[in-house]
Amino acid sequence: MCLAVPHTIKEILGENRALASAGAVRTEIRTDLLDDVVPGDTVLVHAGFAIEKLSPEDSEELKSLWDELRALAGEPYAH
Amino acid sequence: MCLAVPHTIKEILGENRALASAGAVRTEIRTDLLDDVVPGDTVLVHAGFAIEKLSPEDSEELKSLWDELRALAGEPYAH
Amino acid sequence: MKDTTVTLGHGSGGRQSAELVSQLLDSFRKRNIGPELEDAALLPGGYAMTLDGFTVSPRRFPGGDIGHLCVCGCANDLAVRGASPDFLGISLVLEEGLSSEEAASYMESAASTCARLGMTLAAGDTKVVPSGAVDGMIITGCAFGRIRTARTLSMTGIHEGDTLLVTTSIGRHGAAIASARFDLPVEGLLSDCAPLWPALSPLLHLEGLRCMRDCTRGGLGTVLCEWAEATGLHFSLDEDAIPVGFQVQSLCDVLGFDPLYMACEGCAALAVAPSDADEALRILRQSPLCADAAVIGRVSSAEPKGMVSMKTSIGGERLVDMPWGEILPRIC
Amino acid sequence: MKDTTVTLGHGSGGRQSAELVSQLLDSFRKRNIGPELEDAALLPGGYAMTLDGFTVSPRRFPGGDIGHLCVCGCANDLAVRGASPDFLGISLVLEEGLSSEEAASYMESAASTCARLGMTLAAGDTKVVPSGAVDGMIITGCAFGRIRTARTLSMTGIHEGDTLLVTTSIGRHGAAIASARFDLPVEGLLSDCAPLWPALSPLLHLEGLRCMRDCTRGGLGTVLCEWAEATGLHFSLDEDAIPVGFQVQSLCDVLGFDPLYMACEGCAALAVAPSDADEALRILRQSPLCADAAVIGRVSSAEPKGMVSMKTSIGGERLVDMPWGEILPRIC
Amino acid sequence: MPINAPSVAELLGKISRTPLSVMEVCGTHTVSIFRSGIRSVLPPTLRLVSGPGCPVCVTDQGEIEAALSLLDRGAVVAAYGDMFKVPCEGGSLASKRSRGLDARVVTGAMDVLSLAEEYSSREVVFLGVGFETTAPATAALVAEAARRGIRNLSVLSFHKRTPPAVELLAADPDLRLSGFLLPGHVCVILGHDPFRFLPEKYGLPGVIAGFEPDQILLGLADIVRQHEQGAPALRSVYGKAVKKEGNPKALGLLEEVFEHRDTAWRGIGTIPASGLALKRPYESFDAEKRFGISLRPGTPPAGCRCGEVLTGKIIPPECPLFRSACTPLSPVGPCMVSGEGTCGAYFRYFKGDRS
Amino acid sequence: MPINAPSVAELLGKISRTPLSVMEVCGTHTVSIFRSGIRSVLPPTLRLVSGPGCPVCVTDQGEIEAALSLLDRGAVVAAYGDMFKVPCEGGSLASKRSRGLDARVVTGAMDVLSLAEEYSSREVVFLGVGFETTAPATAALVAEAARRGIRNLSVLSFHKRTPPAVELLAADPDLRLSGFLLPGHVCVILGHDPFRFLPEKYGLPGVIAGFEPDQILLGLADIVRQHEQGAPALRSVYGKAVKKEGNPKALGLLEEVFEHRDTAWRGIGTIPASGLALKRPYESFDAEKRFGISLRPGTPPAGCRCGEVLTGKIIPPECPLFRSACTPLSPVGPCMVSGEGTCGAYFRYFKGDRS
Ligand code: SF4
Ligand code: SF4
Ligand SMILES: [Mg+2]
Ligand SMILES: [Mg+2]
Ligand SMILES: [Mg+2]
Ligand SMILES: [Mg+2]
Ligand SMILES: [Mg+2]
Ligand SMILES: [Mg+2]
Ligand SMILES: [Mg+2]
Ligand SMILES: [Mg+2]
Ligand SMILES: [Mg+2]
Ligand SMILES: [Mg+2]
């Protein structure tokens, strides 16, 4: 439906334009859809547009989901 | 200065246009510059235009020139 | 063929290419003067020959240019059939307006690669066409060399149980071209364009060496599908074992491409008897170009026959098919 | 080279072509891996190889098409070096949008000519490029055959006193193409495009056979100028002896072309020791394609050296030079 | 933390007790599922059904015809690579391009601005397809073109809205779906609210998941968990990327540039208010108005069961044309064209009907 | 009748007693003389001097620059093949075409009409060069374009008139010419009258001849005869093709479309009333007016002695650049470019300086 790839902002090029990298790929992206993008931010890019910022994974939600699932499977907590 | 090639008129295609042949070559030419061109006429063609009709060589003029030259060279008349 | 108009899909090296080629060869086949579909033809007298047209855009790319590519492409077709790259022919079609220095610079690349390989330019041809009748230039190379093995390396030699190897990480040429074409610079990405003869010739003494093919257009995936189809055997791959570099993977992620189908120009697939697989790997890895050589799968008589399957990273299984049509960047 | 932009003049087969080729070969020459400038290369093991790119427009012309042309062009380059046309490689570059049936029809012509010659298609390649990146299609052929004579046929074998022959009337291919391109139908004009091997192979036993070359781009005039330049000898021609057909002459008159420089594709120039000239002519004329074969001049050590002169119909004498640049229709 | 795909798959096998049919709505999910072989590691109790979430597949034939007709009229038509091979009666963008017409691949909507500058004396038309993730890029293009006063650029807006289609399927009594794996990237834009109807109105779990195999498996696991625990809910397992409120700037831009309209989904038919048309202030950029195009919804090709495939009623091998008349090389229906079309994915990756 | 070239040559040797310098005005004569090796069969008493009758050679550099500037501005420029390689500072038509600009070879002026139709949204310009034989075709093109109301076609009229140039040479005291071989095809159009000044004003023979070697030899023989007999006259030995009154329709068309203007001849300079400009009623077809071109007469390239070659004062091997810096491949002056330029003809065909 919509391929989107995490990019790291390298440089702000002007209003709504930034240089970003996705792995080894360097590309210019549009930041129209986000506020306050700064170098170092990780954003999700689709069709040339950053559609959301990604925060460093907060594992709490995922951890709780994992715990729920293991509980359901009758497995002991590993942590 | 001006390459011109004898063509034979094959067919009148319309006002100022005719099909002509130069040896084995068939081509369309313009006849704007001549009056009363009819199939069978031989015309001199330059840059796509018939510029003059050629009549079957009247050898009289050429013969008299030839005679004059031979006389000058002190050669006897051959004919 | 249902679609009688040639499309870019017919040039992408996958299924459609195969169908077009088959239509074009029909007149030769029905007269019994048609070729096998191997990289190079084996001629009487112990020689092999091959030819390939090169139309890469851009003509100069990270890691090479069209001149170097032409020599590598031709020499590699000989190498995978066990023939040394001895003689080359180069035919150029140039667009008027091209800089003759630019064309000469590709010949300099070609000459330098030839010299490294000990290859002689035996024949050449140059044509010039009106502006617009060709996009810059086309190089066609033909190569000719002595066969250096007593065994016939070909698809027909592939057996059930054979081990599949790849000589280096895949997809680098295609990725380098895509990077230039879609204006997506990739740090540290170079085409793998290189002559394989130095790495492959030491394998020729192995009894168990069955078949080799350079993975060009259509990539590793296409080569293996062609082998499976031609042999009627089942090829199973291990996704995690296939070497894919970080740069290639990044670019494929962004454009929605599959590295399996990305072109290579200095990478070969090998089928080797299992007894010789370790030795083959050891020999390959001695070449600096093949440090990433890997065992990637095996040949079996499993179902579905004539097809390629892959064990995925999550332990699942799926088919690998040839690419269908032109490979285009995706947003979905 | 002063002009560093490739122009159509560089493709016309004359002086400019020679200069471009020399620039392009420089990188190979300085490494001592460059070719001689003969029609086909003689390889160790008794084989000859050649390659040529074909870009004719229109692709189908009176007397042939690009497929037939490709086979003839390649086979003739072998034939003039005394090699039989044994194996062919064909590389196609197709423009997307081309009809695959059209492409296949040229392969049918090619296959039919190959079959007549006993030639096998050993290798092929097909590339597809985007619409506009090539004008329809380009075929590159490479050919490969066994050398059938113990003598080396080459320019270096040409001696003072040799007789010059031409195998048939000149300029028919170039005239057929010009006729189509400038929309000037010429009654009865067909390209001479044909394989020369059947006519030339019976000459190979002649002791006095020195050198043969097929007159392609640049025509008979260019071949003889190249020979004169390469040998440093003087070549004198007899204008009235050179066979020019009525159709070719008519077209040349209309467009202001010189038949000496019109391309041929089934016509060769020969240098033969005078003692064998009559026999060569007799043998040639046995071939239906060479009924018009003629002695057209001789080689001498006269001045100017390295040049070609011609005795004209009125008993005068003039030089014959290579064509300079593209040949264009003239009104002056 | 020890979450990797094989261990999730193992866990899933343990917790899945009752047979369930789960629809992955999104084509990118579909492809990821096939490419990673997820089906082959699922417990037999869990059946995956592919939904209509491939923009290529649901773009109506009449919409493709409209784009081709503009090419024929001399326009430069720009489109994402995904659309190039989709056939309709008049051909495809790829086949038109192969005849020398100016169909151009772009990888981002903003590339169309440079095309419009390059071809300043020609009409440049962008074929706008895709769901809510993609539509904001088109909206930004139109807004920017308006700001810059570009006169030779216009847009065929064939964008589609996901929630109406999902609701249609949730409400379909024939389908008996047990839950939905929701498209992570659509929800990045839309947030949670537009899919709350799933648990609230239909009592069905809706789980928003990412696209890596482990993320998909985790999403499926949570759907199973919700069923097992009898607590259907809307939940995101895609980390912080999906905010409850979605992306306000993107939503604002969609609101600014587009309005809802009824739209035909290929193989499905017209779904009310499921399309996005340019609003009045931007109508000079609306290629349909500019060139007087009236869309004729296409009739599906004879024998093609795309509609049933797209709504999860059959799987592709059940279509009699699958692998015989219909292959990626000569696709009968659009589901076979796209790399993420359900039929195409089955064709390329599915071992089930071959071994 | 036994008139063939060898026998005329033999005759000429017998009758030519006093040394004479005869100018062949026309480039087509020049080429025919070289290609048939006529010089090598002439008696030593007869010296041939080549004149300015090659339209390529005498087209001024400024005129070529004008055509190239229109290409640069996006026009389609049509010209006879002869003009393609003529260089000026900005390149040549051929070099512009090789950079993708639209320079087209036509073999007849009327072909420009179809070009104008084909490129109806572009300006199509015809580079009109040549003498009185060629100018009527341009006149007919302009008249026809006017009749059809074609709006995107115009003409750079750089046509030149022969008689003023011939008179300039006849009057030149340095040249000491003994007679003129006059251009047969120009006289087909002009008739005899425009050249009567030769015998009447300058006491010089003027013989109109055809272009075959025997016709040329016959013309030369008649010039010798006139000298030997002390009876200079204007005479045609070109059979019935040349009528005393010329071609009235062609002359009428020239009169209708063109007016005389002063024009620069390359290497020679401006000759009054020697050019043909479009008359007022046709000025909308005048590319100079339409595109606001003001011609700057070119300065001859350094070292080039074309002017002296064109006026017969030196022969090409006397130019220090001949065969060294100046060759057909990289011509310094225009005389080296054209197949019928004097320097080009010497280069290609002349043995004299090589053996
Ligand atoms: S297999 Fe082809 S015809 Fe059948 S539903 Fe899928 S797309 Fe339609
Ligand atoms: S040889 Fe060249 S430079 Fe000398 S006069 Fe002739 S054209 Fe001019
Ligand atoms: Mg290969
Ligand atoms: Mg190959
Ligand atoms: Mg190769
Ligand atoms: Mg060649
Ligand atoms: Mg180009
Ligand atoms: Mg040859
Ligand atoms: Mg050759
Ligand atoms: Mg040849
Ligand atoms: Mg190949
Ligand atoms: Mg084309």
Side-chain angles (χ1 to χ4, degrees):
Chain A
M1 196 142 179
C2 323
L3 275 183
V5 179
H7 286 58
T8 306
I9 302 293
K10 293 291 170 192
E11 194 187 330
I12 304 301
L13 295 176
E15 209 202 343
N16 294 332
R17 289 166 49 236
L19 205 63
S21 66
V25 179
R26 290 226 156 209
T27 178
E28 194 184 315
I29 61 165
R30 296 285 302 206
T31 56
D32 308 51
L33 307 181
L34 298 179
D35 285 321
D36 308 323
V37 173
V38 295
D41 280 357
T42 303
V43 294
L44 202 54
V45 174
H46 169 74
F49 279 76
I51 57 173
E52 195 52 87
K53 286 193 208 177
L54 299 175
S55 14
E57 190 70 67
D58 174 346
S59 62
E60 277 316 304
E61 193 183 10
L62 215 54
K63 205 184 89 192
S64 91
L65 172 62
W66 190 241
D67 291 345
E68 289 168 52
L69 295 173
R70 301 196 71 166
L72 199 64
E75 291 191 3
Y77 284 23
H79 48 113
Chain B
M1 198 143 178
C2 323
L3 275 183
V5 180
H7 286 59
T8 306
I9 302 293
K10 293 292 170 190
E11 194 184 330
I12 304 301
L13 296 176
E15 208 202 344
N16 295 330
R17 289 167 49 237
L19 205 63
S21 66
V25 179
R26 290 225 156 209
T27 177
E28 193 184 316
I29 62 166
R30 297 285 302 205
T31 56
D32 307 52
L33 307 181
L34 298 178
D35 284 321
D36 308 323
V37 173
V38 296
D41 280 356
T42 302
V43 295
L44 202 54
V45 174
H46 169 75
F49 279 77
I51 57 172
E52 196 51 88
K53 285 193 208 178
L54 298 175
S55 15
E57 189 71 68
D58 173 347
S59 63
E60 276 317 301
E61 193 182 12
L62 214 55
K63 205 184 88 190
S64 90
L65 172 64
W66 190 239
D67 291 346
E68 290 167 53
L69 294 173
R70 300 196 70 165
L72 200 64
E75 291 190 3
Y77 285 22
H79 49 115
Chain C
M1 285 179 67
K2 195 170 158 189
D3 177 9
T4 62
T5 295
V6 174
T7 66
L8 290 181
H10 288 107
S12 59
R15 174 90 46 201
Q16 254 181 305
S17 300
E19 300 201 355
L20 175 63
V21 165
S22 144
Q23 186 189 13
L24 294 173
L25 290 181
D26 189 51
S27 295
F28 292 92
R29 294 246 168 89
K30 71 178 192 226
R31 292 176 171 90
N32 293 313
I33 52 170
E36 331 167 87
L37 292 178
E38 295 280 0
D39 295 85
L42 307 185
L43 305 180
Y47 283 100
M49 78 173 281
T50 182
L51 91 169
D52 262 312
F54 297 87
T55 60
V56 64
S57 163
R59 293 185 284 274
R60 181 165 288 118
F61 46 82
D65 63 33
I66 194 172
H68 176 57
L69 177 65
C70 171
V71 179
C72 295
C74 291
N76 290 347
D77 277 343
L78 292 182
V80 295
R81 299 220 73 191
S84 52
D86 301 330
F87 297 99
L88 183 69
I90 287 184
S91 166
L92 296 172
V93 178
L94 308 178
E95 183 183 18
E96 62 163 341
L98 187 77
S99 137
S100 66
E101 270 87 8
E102 188 192 334
S105 78
Y106 304 134
M107 290 304 99
E108 169 60 27
S109 306
S112 136
T113 309
C114 278
R116 273 197 288 144
L117 277 169
M119 204 172 194
T120 298
L121 183 71
D125 184 54
T126 306
K127 297 282 162 30
V128 179
V129 294
S131 175
V134 92
D135 184 16
M137 72 187 294
I138 289 175
I139 304 188
T140 303
C142 77
F144 179 66
R146 186 156 279 286
I147 301 166
R148 307 288 176 174
T149 167
R151 264 179 307 285
T152 299
L153 301 175
S154 86
M155 289 187 283
T156 55
I158 300 175
H159 291 91
E160 186 187 334
D162 282 353
T163 303
L164 298 169
L165 289 88
V166 69
T167 60
T168 185
S169 78
I170 63 170
R172 286 179 281 146
H173 181 69
I177 296 301
S179 151
R181 201 176 291 165
F182 297 107
D183 197 19
L184 287 171
V186 182
E187 254 173 274
L189 174 63
L190 294 179
S191 164
D192 58 339
C193 190
L196 285 165
W197 178 245
L200 298 184
S201 54
L203 298 173
L204 294 177
H205 73 277
L206 291 181
E207 280 297 329
L209 185 65
R210 314 286 205 197
C211 183
M212 309 196 281
R213 179 167 292 183
D214 60 332
C215 310
T216 52
R217 268 185 309 178
L220 174 66
T222 301
V223 167
L224 297 175
C225 287
E226 281 175 11
W227 282 1
E229 224 171 277
T231 58
L233 296 168
H234 183 85
F235 284 56
S236 50
L237 307 179
D238 179 353
E239 184 169 28
D240 290 336
I242 299 173
V244 181
F246 171 63
Q247 286 89 353
V248 170
Q249 192 59 60
S250 302
L251 190 80
C252 284
D253 288 345
V254 168
L255 291 173
F257 291 164
D258 187 336
L260 267 185
Y261 304 126
M262 301 295 282
C264 315
E265 289 292 347
C267 171
L270 275 60
V272 179
S275 53
D276 274 334
D278 287 347
E279 178 64 1
L281 201 58
R282 193 191 62 75
I283 294 172
L284 281 173
R285 286 186 175 159
Q286 284 172 356
S287 159
L289 292 178
C290 299
D292 295 328
V295 169
I296 57 167
R298 61 188 288 278
V299 182
S300 75
S301 57
E303 293 292 334
K305 291 212 195 304
M307 299 192 88
V308 180
S309 70
M310 181 147 90
K311 186 165 134 312
T312 66
S313 302
I314 64 157
E317 211 188 350
R318 60 129 164 142
L319 292 182
V320 172
D321 193 17
M322 277 192 205
W324 290 81
E326 183 190 359
I327 299 176
L328 289 163
R330 300 189 293 124
I331 60 140
C332 305
Chain D
M1 284 179 68
K2 195 170 158 189
D3 178 7
T4 62
T5 296
V6 174
T7 65
L8 290 181
H10 289 108
S12 59
R15 175 88 46 198
Q16 255 181 305
S17 301
E19 300 201 357
L20 175 64
V21 165
S22 143
Q23 186 188 13
L24 294 174
L25 289 182
D26 189 51
S27 295
F28 291 94
R29 294 243 169 91
K30 72 179 190 225
R31 293 176 170 90
N32 292 314
I33 52 171
E36 329 168 87
L37 292 178
E38 295 280 0
D39 296 85
L42 306 184
L43 304 180
Y47 279 104
M49 78 172 281
T50 183
L51 91 168
D52 262 312
F54 297 87
T55 60
V56 64
S57 162
R59 293 185 285 273
R60 184 165 285 117
F61 47 82
D65 63 32
I66 193 171
H68 176 56
L69 177 64
C70 171
V71 179
C72 294
C74 291
N76 290 347
D77 277 343
L78 292 182
V80 293
R81 300 219 72 191
S84 52
D86 300 330
F87 298 99
L88 183 69
I90 288 183
S91 166
L92 295 172
V93 177
L94 308 177
E95 183 183 17
E96 62 162 341
L98 187 78
S99 137
S100 66
E101 271 86 9
E102 187 191 335
S105 79
Y106 303 134
M107 291 303 99
E108 170 60 26
S109 305
S112 136
T113 308
C114 278
R116 273 197 288 143
L117 276 170
M119 204 171 194
T120 299
L121 183 70
D125 183 55
T126 306
K127 298 281 161 31
V128 179
V129 294
S131 175
V134 92
D135 184 17
M137 72 187 294
I138 289 175
I139 305 189
T140 302
C142 76
F144 180 65
R146 189 157 276 288
I147 301 166
R148 307 290 175 174
T149 166
R151 261 181 308 284
T152 299
L153 301 175
S154 86
M155 288 187 284
T156 55
I158 301 176
H159 290 92
E160 186 187 336
D162 282 354
T163 302
L164 298 168
L165 289 88
V166 68
T167 60
T168 184
S169 78
I170 63 171
R172 285 179 282 146
H173 181 68
I177 296 300
S179 151
R181 200 174 293 166
F182 297 106
D183 197 19
L184 288 171
V186 181
E187 254 173 275
L189 175 64
L190 294 180
S191 164
D192 58 339
C193 190
L196 286 166
W197 179 246
L200 299 184
S201 54
L203 298 173
L204 293 178
H205 73 276
L206 292 181
E207 279 297 328
L209 184 66
R210 313 283 205 200
C211 183
M212 309 196 281
R213 180 168 293 183
D214 60 331
C215 310
T216 52
R217 265 184 312 176
L220 174 65
T222 300
V223 167
L224 297 176
C225 287
E226 281 175 9
W227 282 2
E229 225 171 277
T231 58
L233 295 168
H234 184 84
F235 284 56
S236 52
L237 307 179
D238 180 353
E239 183 169 29
D240 289 337
I242 299 172
V244 180
F246 171 63
Q247 287 90 353
V248 169
Q249 192 59 61
S250 302
L251 190 79
C252 285
D253 288 346
V254 168
L255 291 173
F257 291 165
D258 187 336
L260 267 184
Y261 304 125
M262 301 295 282
C264 315
E265 289 291 348
C267 171
L270 275 60
V272 180
S275 52
D276 274 335
D278 287 347
E279 177 63 1
L281 201 59
R282 194 191 60 77
I283 294 173
L284 281 173
R285 286 186 175 158
Q286 284 173 356
S287 158
L289 292 178
C290 300
D292 295 327
V295 168
I296 58 167
R298 61 187 288 275
V299 182
S300 76
S301 57
E303 295 291 332
K305 292 211 194 303
M307 300 193 86
V308 180
S309 70
M310 181 148 87
K311 187 166 134 312
T312 67
S313 301
I314 63 156
E317 209 187 351
R318 61 130 164 141
L319 292 182
V320 172
D321 193 16
M322 277 192 205
W324 290 80
E326 184 190 358
I327 299 175
L328 289 163
R330 299 190 293 123
I331 61 139
C332 304
Chain E
M1 195 165 143
I3 302 187
N4 63 44
S7 62
V8 185
E10 197 195 319
L11 199 58
L12 193 55
K14 289 189 186 157
I15 63 176
S16 175
R17 286 154 197 147
T18 29
L20 297 179
S21 273
V22 173
M23 173 175 279
E24 89 272 3
V25 172
C26 170
T28 308
H29 274 151
T30 303
V31 169
S32 188
I33 288 165
F34 277 103
R35 286 189 52 183
S36 61
I38 281 182
R39 266 191 176 69
S40 65
V41 301
L42 290 184
T45 43
L46 191 54
R47 182 178 155 245
L48 281 181
V49 173
S50 303
C54 158
V56 173
C57 305
V58 299
T59 297
D60 194 75
Q61 242 166 315
E63 295 174 334
I64 311 285
E65 304 272 11
L68 301 193
S69 75
L70 292 178
L71 277 174
D72 287 336
R73 287 161 70 177
V76 177
V77 173
Y80 297 123
D82 315 62
M83 296 306 297
F84 265 66
K85 297 179 218 164
V86 191
C88 64
E89 266 179 39
S92 64
L93 289 170
S95 74
K96 289 286 178 186
R97 183 187 57 179
S98 78
R99 284 171 179 81
L101 297 181
D102 268 321
R104 301 296 174 96
V105 174
V106 288
T107 55
M110 285 305 177
D111 296 353
V112 184
L113 287 172
S114 353
L115 277 177
E117 275 159 14
E118 186 182 346
Y119 295 95
S120 58
S121 63
R122 292 174 63 186
E123 290 288 335
V124 175
V125 181
F126 178 56
L127 176 56
V129 298
F131 300 100
E132 292 89 341
T133 326
T134 315
T138 306
L141 169 68
V142 170
E144 176 103 1
R147 194 155 43 239
R148 294 205 207 159
I150 297 176
R151 310 212 137 276
N152 63 322
L153 188 158
S154 58
V155 167
L156 284 169
S157 173
F158 299 147
H159 291 290
K160 295 196 168 36
R161 298 178 54 238
T162 317
V166 172
E167 179 151 14
L168 190 88
L169 298 168
D172 190 325
D174 296 344
L175 273 174
R176 300 170 186 275
L177 291 173
S178 325
F180 285 86
L181 193 72
L182 293 170
H185 295 145
V186 164
C187 295
V188 164
I189 304 296
L190 291 183
H192 290 198
D193 285 349
F195 292 107
R196 290 211 189 278
F197 66 84
L198 283 173
E200 289 169 7
K201 190 163 165 194
Y202 299 96
L204 291 172
V207 176
I208 300 165
F211 300 89
E212 296 300 320
D214 59 331
Q215 295 173 317
I216 292 171
L217 284 167
L218 213 53
L220 293 174
D222 195 51
I223 291 173
V224 171
R225 181 195 59 77
Q226 292 186 30
H227 264 280
E228 293 299 323
Q229 299 185 337
L234 191 77
R235 183 176 191 179
S236 167
V237 299
Y238 193 17
K240 300 259 166 169
V242 179
K243 306 207 165 38
K244 288 215 160 60
E245 69 281 14
N247 178 327
K249 275 188 98 171
L251 291 171
L253 200 55
L254 290 177
E255 177 64 26
E256 159 72 19
V257 173
F258 291 119
E259 64 192 12
H260 297 181
R261 66 160 162 182
D262 299 351
T263 283
W265 294 53
R266 192 156 174 169
I268 297 178
T270 296
I271 304 179
S274 68
L276 293 172
L278 292 180
K279 273 190 177 157
R280 180 58 72 84
Y282 296 100
E283 72 181 1
S284 69
F285 296 96
D286 186 332
E288 288 173 63
K289 297 211 170 99
R290 191 171 183 133
F291 302 103
I293 291 168
S294 53
L295 293 174
R296 297 173 305 119
T299 42
C304 172
R305 299 181 64 187
C306 267
E308 288 156 279
V309 168
L310 283 169
T311 52
K313 285 172 187 160
I314 63 168
I315 62 165
E318 295 178 70
C319 167
L321 303 186
F322 182 77
R323 271 198 214 280
S324 57
C326 185
T327 67
L329 180 53
S330 58
V332 174
C335 291
M336 187 57 92
V337 178
S338 164
E340 52 165 349
T342 309
C343 296
Y346 265 85
F347 189 99
R348 285 181 178 83
Y349 304 120
F350 190 57
K351 256 187 84 168
D353 68 322
R354 305 305 303 254
S355 47
Chain F
M1 193 163 144
I3 300 188
N4 62 45
S7 62
V8 185
E10 197 194 320
L11 199 58
L12 193 54
K14 288 188 186 158
I15 63 176
S16 174
R17 285 154 200 149
T18 29
L20 298 179
S21 273
V22 174
M23 174 176 277
E24 89 271 2
V25 172
C26 170
T28 308
H29 274 151
T30 303
V31 169
S32 188
I33 287 165
F34 277 101
R35 286 188 55 182
S36 61
I38 282 183
R39 265 191 178 69
S40 66
V41 301
L42 290 185
T45 42
L46 191 55
R47 183 175 154 247
L48 280 181
V49 173
S50 303
C54 158
V56 172
C57 304
V58 298
T59 298
D60 194 75
Q61 240 167 314
E63 295 174 334
I64 309 286
E65 304 272 10
L68 301 193
S69 76
L70 293 178
L71 278 174
D72 287 336
R73 287 161 70 176
V76 177
V77 173
Y80 297 123
D82 315 62
M83 296 306 298
F84 265 66
K85 295 179 220 166
V86 191
C88 63
E89 265 179 39
S92 64
L93 289 170
S95 75
K96 290 285 179 187
R97 182 187 57 179
S98 77
R99 285 171 179 81
L101 297 180
D102 268 319
R104 302 298 175 96
V105 175
V106 290
T107 54
M110 286 303 179
D111 296 352
V112 183
L113 287 173
S114 352
L115 278 177
E117 275 159 15
E118 187 183 344
Y119 295 97
S120 58
S121 63
R122 291 174 65 186
E123 289 289 333
V124 175
V125 181
F126 178 54
L127 176 56
V129 297
F131 299 100
E132 291 90 342
T133 327
T134 315
T138 305
L141 169 67
V142 169
E144 176 103 1
R147 193 156 46 241
R148 293 205 209 161
I150 295 176
R151 310 213 135 275
N152 63 324
L153 187 157
S154 59
V155 167
L156 283 169
S157 171
F158 299 146
H159 291 290
K160 296 193 167 38
R161 298 178 54 236
T162 316
V166 171
E167 179 151 14
L168 190 88
L169 298 168
D172 190 327
D174 297 343
L175 274 173
R176 299 168 186 274
L177 291 173
S178 326
F180 285 86
L181 193 72
L182 292 171
H185 296 146
V186 164
C187 295
V188 163
I189 303 296
L190 292 183
H192 291 196
D193 285 349
F195 292 106
R196 288 207 192 280
F197 66 83
L198 282 174
E200 289 170 7
K201 190 163 165 193
Y202 299 95
L204 291 172
V207 176
I208 300 164
F211 300 88
E212 296 300 319
D214 61 331
Q215 295 174 316
I216 292 170
L217 285 166
L218 214 53
L220 293 174
D222 196 50
I223 291 173
V224 170
R225 181 195 60 76
Q226 292 187 28
H227 264 280
E228 294 298 324
Q229 298 185 336
L234 190 78
R235 184 177 192 180
S236 167
V237 300
Y238 194 16
K240 299 259 168 171
V242 179
K243 305 208 165 37
K244 286 216 164 55
E245 69 282 13
N247 178 326
K249 275 190 97 173
L251 290 170
L253 200 56
L254 289 177
E255 178 65 25
E256 159 73 19
V257 172
F258 291 118
E259 64 194 11
H260 297 181
R261 66 159 160 181
D262 300 349
T263 281
W265 293 54
R266 191 158 175 166
I268 298 178
T270 296
I271 304 179
S274 68
L276 293 172
L278 292 180
K279 273 189 177 158
R280 181 57 72 84
Y282 295 100
E283 72 181 0
S284 69
F285 295 96
D286 186 333
E288 289 173 63
K289 296 209 170 103
R290 191 173 184 131
F291 301 103
I293 290 168
S294 54
L295 292 175
R296 297 174 305 120
T299 41
C304 172
R305 299 181 63 186
C306 268
E308 288 157 278
V309 167
L310 284 168
T311 52
K313 286 173 187 158
I314 63 168
I315 63 166
E318 295 177 70
C319 168
L321 303 185
F322 183 77
R323 270 198 216 280
S324 56
C326 185
T327 67
L329 179 53
S330 57
V332 174
C335 291
M336 187 57 92
V337 179
S338 162
E340 52 165 350
T342 309
C343 296
Y346 265 86
F347 189 101
R348 285 183 178 82
Y349 303 121
F350 190 57
K351 256 187 84 169
D353 67 322
R354 304 307 300 256
S355 47

